[in-house]
Amino acid sequence: MSTRSGADRELVIRGAHVLDPSSGLDGVMDVRISGGRVAEVGEDLHGVRELDASGLHLFPGFVDVHAHWRTPGREEEEDLESGSAAAAAGGFTGVVMMPNTDPVLDRPALVSGLVRRAERESRVRAYVAAALHAGLAGSELTEMRLLKEAGALCVSDDGPGTQNADVLRSGMLYARSAGLAVLLHCEDRSLAKGVVHDGVAAALAGVPATPASAEDAATATALVLAAETGARVHITHVSTALSAALVGFFKGRAGVTADTTPHHLTLTDDLVRTLEGLYRVNPPLRPEGDRREVIEALRDGTLDFVATDHAPHAAQRKELPLQEAAPGFLGHETAFAALYTELVLGESLPLSRLVEAMSCAPGRWVGGLGSLAVGAPADIALADLEEEWTVERESLSSRSHNSPYLGRRMRGRIVGTIVGGELVHDRMGAKLGVRT
Amino acid sequence: MSARDFISLENVGREELLEVMELARDQEEGRLGRLLEGRTVCLAFFEPSTRTAASFELAARRAGADVVSLSSGTSSISKGESLVDTVVTLDRLGMDALIIRHPAAGAASLASRHTSAAVVNAGDGCGQHPTQALLDLYALGKSLGGFEELAGRRAAIVGDILHSRVARSVIPAFGTAGIEVSLVAPATLLPREADVWRLPVLGSVDEALEWGAEVLYMLRLQKERMSGALVPSVAEYARYYGVGRRHLRPGVRVMHPGPVNRGVEIASDVVLDGSSLIPDQVSAGIAVRTAVLALATGSVERAAA
């Protein structure tokens, strides 16, 4: 994130409903920011620069541990500027970039180069997940200790996964000794031959299908190895009922955390009946039964948090028959609104749990984020929970338009995002008042 | 089926089926003439086909249409041009109907969003093959004495249902015509959620006959699936899922969308037996595809839009 003028100045945000489960804050109050950090939270605070946030909700900035900003290599689909603009528009103040770039982030120089570019070009805090194995090929370990020195936050083989259990076990052991968490996309490729969930929609549509066991078998393997090796393992985008249950079983037996995505929480495989390439994603959209179990696992904390798997694709990679399209959805800009609309309003998920799952828990996982405690980085999302809006391609900040929510009506919208005390996304109009 | 496209037979009503059947009969009896004169029909085949392409082309030409043929061997389709780009180009050249075959389910539906021409799906991956199911209904109806005679009959669809676009069109089409349908296949060749069709699943052709099947609709087993992980051997498959002379009895008709693996789905001496409707299916193709093109291009008024 670039150093900006103004970051050191004081700012008082007045009159918002502050909600931060990590600090026990829940009520209308004012927040004073100084030196880029939270200086004071209380009533009737004033300063030279004031932001009138009355009627809005104020949360710790969201943190997304799973994003693809396509830099380096596919900047026509997304780059650090557009990816971070999309993140900021969605209230995300911290993002972890996955290593499946071109070239793959498997060497220290590549990681340090990207870290430096992100400091200059990203509007939000951007972290790097480096490859666990060279070329994401699942055979040779990367130089994890050097990667960590170069600035890598964690390691992952991302989409290809690590298909050999023995190799994965070594990777976990080495990552533990390097002090790096391992982020895992769990998918057994010997079972994953299709492009949609093997269910009713696949039967009717005649599209090559992948059984849920492709995710479940790989998740079980990863959890068993995590328990044995003692590595810090994070299972990303859990999408099935059984995988969520497996994570629950291993909580307390292994150092395991897990996330699921906004799309697996809000959409089902009914959408693939349209056969549109837009709806291809990996893991695939699941039936309603899985969706319900995943929601419950998020509600009770079995799944620790939400990550978007923000995956921009150019139109020519999505405007194809389903089985030929690239898998992946945009995620940053619609995550909060989709989850607020479908889960908080639709399923009675407490708003505080949603904030915990989008801010506090992933913030703790990254380290030092997701809290409005005094002294914490002043990373903030401001939301208007009353605003109704329709997701339209023209309004997206991403360079790509592959959102599964295009045309959907949503309630609740991020109207302002602050990183280190500075407004990096602003839909509030002229609400920043300067007192004389 | 939308107003002009023939993409899927799911949710197609009885009236629409009847309309195609009646037009096909008119064609066969020489009452349609050169109905497509002045129309341009384009065949865009993104995967190889002999019988379907020939059948469509003859149907279009005999009815007087101008026909443009593109195939994956002779056009930009083989140069990596995308489906959408090809369709947009064809659209600008002007055509009344686009007949499309493609290896991916959903291709015809995607194409229809990029052209004002009527799109006729000539087979998309494992998705749909609507004209095949329509000609099957026509051939079967003809052998039984008319479309109305189909209601209440029992048909077993036998074989590789999982990978069959023909099955995905035949199942709803037969159902709409009032035919009771059962499925006959090992679990490896059925979709995991085959229950969605709410049809009985039987274990062999013998069981299908016990169930009362008058029609044995045999699906082609692709060579790569003939033995190995999906089917243990051709011999075992043929024993349980193939039709032999011993299965033939009065009133039982054997159908197959072709080409037949002789000795696998159907014993060699049964293919051209009197109980086989396979030759009738092939010849029904011209009449039914003429009817479909006439309806798609608006050359005759459609009763049900």
Side-chain angles (χ1 to χ4, degrees), chain A residues 144-216:
Chain A
M144 282 185 240
R145 303 184 83 133
L146 294 174
L147 288 168
K148 188 181 182 190
E149 279 184 30
L153 178 83
C154 61
V155 284
S156 175
D157 275 346
D158 199 33
T162 315
Q163 297 298 319
N164 179 307
D166 182 45
V167 171
L168 179 57
R169 182 175 173 278
S170 300
M172 285 186 187
L173 286 169
Y174 198 87
R176 192 190 70 182
S177 59
L180 285 168
V182 183
L183 185 145
L184 291 176
H185 166 129
C186 291
E187 179 181 62
D188 182 328
R189 291 240 159 160
S190 69
L191 290 164
K193 293 174 179 164
V195 299
V196 299
H197 172 80
D198 193 359
V200 167
L204 291 171
V207 184
T210 288
S213 54
E215 177 174 339
D216 300 334

Side-chain angles (χ1 to χ4, degrees), chain B residues 139-183:
Chain B
L140 183 58
K142 206 171 153 186
S143 86
L144 291 169
F147 184 74
E148 298 303 330
E149 299 302 315
L150 296 173
R153 307 281 180 166
R154 287 190 157 190
I157 299 174
V158 186
D160 186 358
I161 290 156
L162 176 63
H163 301 100
S164 175
R165 56 190 169 211
V166 173
R168 286 188 179 79
S169 287
V170 164
I171 289 169
F174 277 25
T176 303
I179 300 170
E180 280 186 64
V181 174
S182 66
L183 307 178

Side-chain angles (χ1 to χ4, degrees), chain A residues 391-410:
Chain A
V391 182
E392 289 166 344
R393 49 187 293 141
E394 295 75 21
S395 65
L396 296 171
S397 302
S398 174
R399 284 198 169 184
S400 297
H401 301 105
N402 52 308
S403 167
Y405 300 107
L406 288 176
R408 287 223 183 192
R409 196 90 181 130
M410 298 202 173

Side-chain angles (χ1 to χ4, degrees), chain A residues 238 243-251 256-259 293-294 296-305 353:
Chain A
V238 172
S243 285
L246 288 165
V247 169
F249 179 81
F250 277 89
K251 277 273 168 85
V256 172
T257 50
D259 71 66
E293 293 295 321
V294 171
E296 290 314 307
L298 181 74
R299 191 192 301 271
D300 70 19
T302 300
L303 299 179
D304 300 83
F305 51 83
R353 175 64 191 127

Side-chain angles (χ1 to χ4, degrees), chain A residues 197 212 216 239-242 264 286-295:
Chain A
H197 172 80
D216 300 334
S239 71
T240 72
L242 182 54
H264 289 109
R286 304 293 186 184
E288 179 65 10
D290 285 287
R291 186 181 83 94
R292 298 231 69 80
E293 293 295 321
V294 171
I295 290 173

Side-chain angles (χ1 to χ4, degrees), chain B:
Chain B
M1 214 178 323
S2 68
R4 284 150 41 89
D5 296 332
F6 282 77
I7 291 174
S8 166
L9 291 184
E10 272 188 62
N11 307 315
V12 166
R14 189 177 171 80
E15 288 304 308
E16 284 179 276
L17 291 183
L18 188 56
E19 189 179 26
V20 175
M21 299 301 121
E22 287 177 347
L23 261 183
R25 194 183 57 210
D26 288 348
Q27 195 278 346
E28 264 198 338
E29 294 173 0
R31 286 197 293 274
L32 291 188
R34 292 174 65 81
L35 192 64
L36 295 172
E37 203 127 77
R39 305 286 186 176
T40 304
V41 169
C42 179
L43 284 87
F45 276 55
F46 291 77
E47 74 174 18
S49 161
T50 307
R51 61 182 61 208
T52 302
S55 174
F56 267 113
E57 184 159 354
L58 277 176
R61 285 192 194 283
R62 284 183 187 168
D66 293 324
V67 179
V68 179
S69 273
L70 304 177
S71 70
S72 53
T74 58
S75 70
S76 292
I77 289 173
S78 61
K79 297 178 193 162
E81 186 178 70
S82 82
L83 169 65
V84 169
D85 290 346
T86 303
V87 169
V88 168
T89 303
L90 292 171
D91 187 65
R92 289 295 179 271
L93 290 174
M95 57 180 169
D96 299 288
L98 172 65
I99 300 162
I100 184 167
R101 168 166 285 195
H102 195 279
S109 157
L110 175 62
S112 73
R113 291 198 292 276
H114 294 274
T115 177
S116 53
V119 172
V120 177
N121 184 357
D124 61 341
C126 301
Q128 287 273 330
H129 195 354
T131 58
Q132 177 68 46
L134 292 168
L135 70 86
D136 293 333
L137 273 184
Y138 184 74
L140 183 58
K142 206 171 153 186
S143 86
L144 291 169
F147 184 74
E148 298 303 330
E149 299 302 315
L150 296 173
R153 307 281 180 166
R154 287 190 157 190
I157 299 174
V158 186
D160 186 358
I161 290 156
L162 176 63
H163 301 100
S164 175
R165 56 190 169 211
V166 173
R168 286 188 179 79
S169 287
V170 164
I171 289 169
F174 277 25
T176 303
I179 300 170
E180 280 186 64
V181 174
S182 66
L183 307 178
V184 183
T188 47
L189 297 179
L190 275 174
R192 180 187 158 86
E193 299 287 349
D195 290 352
V196 67
W197 285 303
R198 299 174 192 279
L199 301 174
V201 176
L202 309 173
S204 66
V205 169
D206 291 305
E207 282 183 37
L209 291 171
E210 281 169 33
W211 170 76
E214 297 160 83
V215 178
L216 299 172
Y217 192 103
M218 313 307 290
L219 296 170
R220 180 176 166 79
L221 186 64
Q222 303 297 320
K223 280 206 171 64
E224 67 271 22
R225 299 181 189 112
M226 282 189 184
S227 63
L230 296 181
V231 174
S233 71
V234 170
E236 175 157 316
Y237 183 86
R239 165 73 180 77
Y240 292 95
Y241 306 103
V243 173
R245 186 152 289 282
R246 68 193 173 88
H247 294 114
L248 301 183
R249 53 201 69 172
V252 168
R253 290 164 172 82
V254 178
M255 300 180 79
H256 192 298
V260 178
N261 292 304
R262 285 178 178 239
V264 182
E265 300 103 45
I266 305 179
S268 251
D269 59 344
V270 174
V271 175
L272 297 177
D273 183 89
S275 61
S276 164
L277 292 185
I278 297 168
D280 309 73
Q281 289 172 269
V282 176
S283 51
I286 304 263
V288 167
R289 287 177 173 129
T290 305
V292 164
L293 288 174
L295 290 165
T297 56
S299 301
V300 289
E301 296 257 324
R302 290 184 66 175

